[in-house]
Amino acid sequence: MRILVCGAGIAGPTLAFWLRKHGFQPTVVERAPRLRTGGHIIDFWGAGFEVAERMGLVAEILHRGYEFKEVREVDRHGRRVGGFAVGGFVRGISGGRFTSLPRSELAALIFGALGDGVETIFDDSIVEIDDLGPEVRVRFERTPPRTFDLVIGADGLHSVVRRLVFREDARVERYLGLKVAACTVAGYRPRDEGVYVTHTDVGEQVGRFAMRDDRTMLLFVFADPSPDVPEDLPTQKARLRERFSGAGWECPQMLDALDPADTLYMDRVSQIRMDRWTSGRVALVGDAAFCVSLLGGQGSALAMTAAYILAGELKRANGDHGAAFARYHERLGAFVAGKQQAAVKLTTFFAPRSRFGLFLRNQITTLLAIPSITRFAVGREFRDRITLPEY
């Protein structure tokens, strides 16, 4: 079967890997001219870790990852007001199956695992999808039209495939009232190795984490009633300066560090909630189908889990896409819904709605320094309640 996979982030290349392994013929199309770089650091664990293990990628993922030793909360003067140690606890409760690494590096590792056996088309995008019944005809911006047996949208929160086929964007995207921006800069000072340092105020949070090669990731989160996101880099930088110039702590120098940056990731924090992830010969996977939100954690791991299951169910059904799509949703629907519900609760951790909420948040982070409380409060989050089939 010829299967078009739209998107070369996390879900798309993972899906292509397993489709090829199961005997299908995947083609990956990506609108960017090359693999994306920069962006934010993700926490990686759970079922996605097991998928990576089955792909032979864990050793390299751990090599490229970072081990957080501490989360430290400071006030506008840089004085510690909360936080907790995470290294030993996370290693213990996850069995060492946890790391933090740049999302772009994880994507590059997965893409590299495809080798030369998967056709890839960069710098192009789908503009029309026509499900003809026995096959799907696809028209691209640059590539001549082609037909495929299936089309899978793995193109993220702002999925083109979802818009073209399901035509439900306004109804299925749930904006959570926050924006996020991330940038990696060189030579930033001070550096706190292995420590994620954050400063949180009502409706906003800034943070930094020291990376290898004298790089530092800067993260900005802020409440905003409007879901609109500036598209051009100068306007994005101006928006952050407008919002955080008086925020205290290191915000002025963080904003100055952004000035020479030629890349900046900025997006709204949203979820995608759909009753169905498939229509005819078209399906969605990863954030395109069920984005839990960037701040919810595990988005990349969930994308890999879903891609593994979708490819496996197509193999198990001998290409009967109707049966495979039904099993795909059956295996993942309740699991994903639980992850989305948990993610919504986290928004106030990043951007408290009141002074009392801020005070309460800081007290909770201090209590998390007690291992037994941490184990009770968040330990279960490190155990995904799903069993991955052996296909």
Side-chain angles (χ1 to χ4, degrees):
M1 294 181 72
R2 302 155 301 157
I3 302 177
L4 178 64
V5 179
C6 181
I10 302 293
T14 303
L15 179 64
F17 176 94
W18 289 107
L19 287 173
R20 183 189 178 210
K21 187 175 181 66
H22 295 325
F24 299 103
Q25 183 182 334
T27 295
V28 178
V29 61
E30 166 59 47
R31 65 179 178 178
R34 62 191 66 85
L35 289 181
R36 301 175 191 272
T37 60
H40 55 285
I41 289 180
I42 61 168
D43 294 328
F44 188 67
W45 80 95
F49 199 101
E50 185 175 344
V51 173
E53 206 165 40
R54 297 183 186 188
M55 296 173 72
L57 298 176
V58 163
E60 189 61 29
I61 287 173
L62 292 176
H63 175 70
R64 298 196 187 194
Y66 294 87
E67 181 181 322
F68 282 85
K69 299 176 183 176
E70 178 190 355
V71 174
R72 183 186 305 159
E73 179 70 26
V74 299
D75 64 13
R76 62 182 297 110
H77 304 292
R79 297 174 300 208
R80 182 189 178 107
V81 293
F84 52 97
V86 295
F89 165 75
V90 169
R91 282 195 305 274
I93 205 163
S94 68
R97 300 165 68 82
F98 180 100
T99 192
S100 302
L101 77 163
R103 183 185 183 279
S104 58
E105 292 194 22
L106 176 61
L109 280 175
I110 299 169
F111 188 84
L114 297 181
D116 299 326
V118 174
E119 179 188 17
T120 55
I121 305 170
F122 280 94
D123 199 23
D124 206 348
S125 186
I126 298 172
V127 296
E128 187 177 319
I129 299 173
D130 189 7
D131 190 338
L132 303 174
E135 61 185 9
V136 186
R137 184 171 177 82
V138 179
R139 190 162 63 86
F140 302 90
E141 284 185 355
R142 296 177 176 83
T143 305
R146 291 170 60 176
T147 58
F148 298 88
D149 296 294
L150 301 175
V151 174
I152 314 294
D155 46 347
L157 173 64
H158 309 293
S159 171
V160 170
V161 174
R162 189 179 66 239
R163 175 173 53 81
L164 290 174
V165 175
F166 295 84
R167 306 181 189 279
E168 297 175 333
D169 265 23
R171 192 162 58 84
V172 302
E173 180 178 347
R174 180 180 178 185
Y175 176 53
L176 300 183
L178 299 176
K179 302 277 176 53
V180 64
C183 186
T184 300
V185 299
Y188 184 87
R189 294 296 182 274
R191 287 175 64 85
D192 294 271
E193 303 292 341
V195 181
Y196 182 49
V197 189
T198 64
H199 167 56
T200 309
D201 208 332
V202 176
E204 62 189 34
Q205 182 184 95
V206 291
R208 59 170 168 82
F209 178 72
M211 301 170 63
R212 299 181 187 97
D213 303 320
D214 199 21
R215 296 175 301 149
T216 298
M217 185 201 74
L218 307 179
L219 183 71
F220 302 80
V221 182
F222 58 99
D224 189 342
S226 170
D228 297 334
V229 178
E231 294 186 3
D232 63 289
L233 184 60
T235 305
Q236 291 176 349
K237 291 179 180 180
R239 181 73 182 90
L240 291 176
R241 188 168 288 279
E242 174 189 350
R243 178 63 190 246
F244 289 97
S245 59
W249 187 43
E250 299 171 8
C251 285
Q253 66 199 69
M254 284 181 165
L255 294 169
D256 289 343
L258 290 182
D259 283 342
D262 55 8
T263 59
L264 170 69
Y265 172 87
M266 179 181 283
D267 206 348
R268 55 182 174 264
V269 178
S270 292
Q271 290 187 338
I272 298 297
R273 297 200 174 192
M274 304 181 69
D275 295 329
R276 58 194 177 101
W277 304 329
T278 61
S279 175
R281 289 182 171 268
V282 180
L284 302 173
V285 68
D287 282 355
F290 50 73
C291 180
V292 296
S293 89
L294 184 144
L295 299 178
Q298 267 196 300
S300 294
L302 289 173
M304 292 181 70
T305 302
Y308 171 83
I309 289 175
L310 177 55
E313 291 301 331
L314 283 167
K315 174 182 184 291
R316 181 168 285 179
N318 293 316
D320 180 347
H321 67 280
F325 288 175
R327 289 287 292 162
Y328 163 58
H329 198 284
E330 179 183 326
R331 286 193 180 277
L332 282 169
F335 175 67
V336 166
K339 293 290 183 181
Q340 289 183 321
Q341 291 169 6
V344 172
K345 299 175 184 177
L346 282 174
T347 57
T348 55
F349 180 85
F350 291 96
R353 298 190 179 98
S354 66
R355 286 288 164 195
F356 177 74
L358 175 62
F359 170 79
L360 187 61
R361 172 201 178 278
N362 290 343
Q363 297 308 303
I364 290 173
T365 63
T366 300
L367 287 174
L368 290 176
I370 303 172
S372 59
I373 292 179
T374 308
R375 190 171 293 108
F376 173 79
V378 301
R380 61 184 177 182
E381 298 299 327
F382 287 90
R383 301 185 185 94
D384 281 344
R385 303 180 187 281
I386 188 171
T387 301
L388 292 182
E390 292 281 356
Y391 292 108

